[in-house]
Amino acid sequence: MIKKFIILISVAFIWLLFFYKTEAATLRLSPNIGSFILGSTFDVSVILNTQDIPVNTVEVELLFPADKLQIANPSLGKSIVGIWATPPSYSNQEGRIYFVGGIPSPGINTSEGVVQSFTFRVISPGEGRITFGKNNTSVLANDGLATDVLKQTSPADFRFILPTAQGPEIFSPTHPE
């Protein structure tokens, strides 16, 4: 009887080990590509897809090129986060944004949840990438064990261009056309 119990437990453990998907959530940036003119602003949102696993905590570190971009507005619109354990903070000198947010029980299960949005200002031309920090980005399952279910993050690539030359404005009071 004990031998059958041990075999049953072993089979169940192996089944969980190979078939239970513990990593499933993804974080991406929207938009993830674009071209913006020097001096202009644009919004970028952090989007969460939980892949059918309820989650209750999101930790995000975003890294951006400080020589090309600066944060103009750290918050825009609504968020799925209900409690800020660490409210969004940023450094334009370091090119870094960091925050930790919680979603009250029973957590959230979403395919397009806006975690937070930011308005960036273009400060110099060139190309730049906004990425998620590897060590300070996680999505925790609402399983009582704080299981990190983050499987994938996707960066955003942008081009920052100079405005087109307009030329001098010419006018005449005697010849309006």
Side-chain angles (χ1 to χ4, degrees):
M1 180 74 171
I2 292 176
K3 191 173 182 180
K4 287 182 181 180
F5 179 73
I6 291 173
I7 291 172
L8 180 65
I9 294 296
S10 298
V11 169
F13 178 74
I14 291 170
W15 181 83
L16 285 173
L17 185 65
F18 288 108
F19 296 107
Y20 182 70
K21 200 174 190 181
T22 57
E23 293 183 343
T26 62
L27 287 171
R28 66 178 177 85
L29 299 173
S30 179
N32 65 349
I33 194 166
S35 295
F36 301 98
I37 296 173
L38 180 67
S40 69
T41 61
F42 64 100
D43 299 329
V44 174
S45 297
V46 177
I47 307 293
L48 170 66
N49 183 343
T50 65
Q51 303 283 338
D52 295 326
I53 294 177
V55 301
N56 63 9
T57 305
V58 179
E59 175 187 28
V60 174
E61 177 184 44
L62 288 177
L63 305 172
F64 61 92
D67 62 327
K68 305 277 186 259
L69 295 172
Q70 66 179 209
I71 293 290
N73 183 1
S75 178
L76 174 74
K78 295 184 179 183
S79 170
I80 60 171
V81 173
I83 302 165
W84 291 107
T86 304
S89 62
Y90 65 93
S91 168
N92 281 328
Q93 290 75 28
E94 296 175 17
R96 181 179 186 267
I97 301 169
Y98 181 76
F99 59 87
V100 180
I103 297 110
S105 190
I108 192 166
N109 186 351
T110 182
S111 62
E112 286 287 318
V114 176
V115 178
Q116 183 70 340
S117 297
F118 303 93
T119 302
F120 288 93
R121 175 175 282 106
V122 180
I123 58 173
S124 70
E127 294 184 358
R129 173 176 266 200
I130 302 174
T131 61
F132 290 91
K134 292 186 188 295
N135 297 327
N136 295 319
T137 301
S138 62
V139 177
L140 305 183
N142 189 37
D143 61 1
L145 302 172
T147 304
D148 187 358
V149 294
L150 182 61
K151 179 173 102 176
Q152 179 181 4
T153 59
S154 299
D157 294 304
F158 301 109
R159 285 187 33 205
F160 311 118
I161 56 178
L162 294 170
T164 57
Q166 300 293 322
E169 187 174 322
I170 300 173
F171 66 95
S172 168
T174 58
H175 295 84
E177 294 184 29

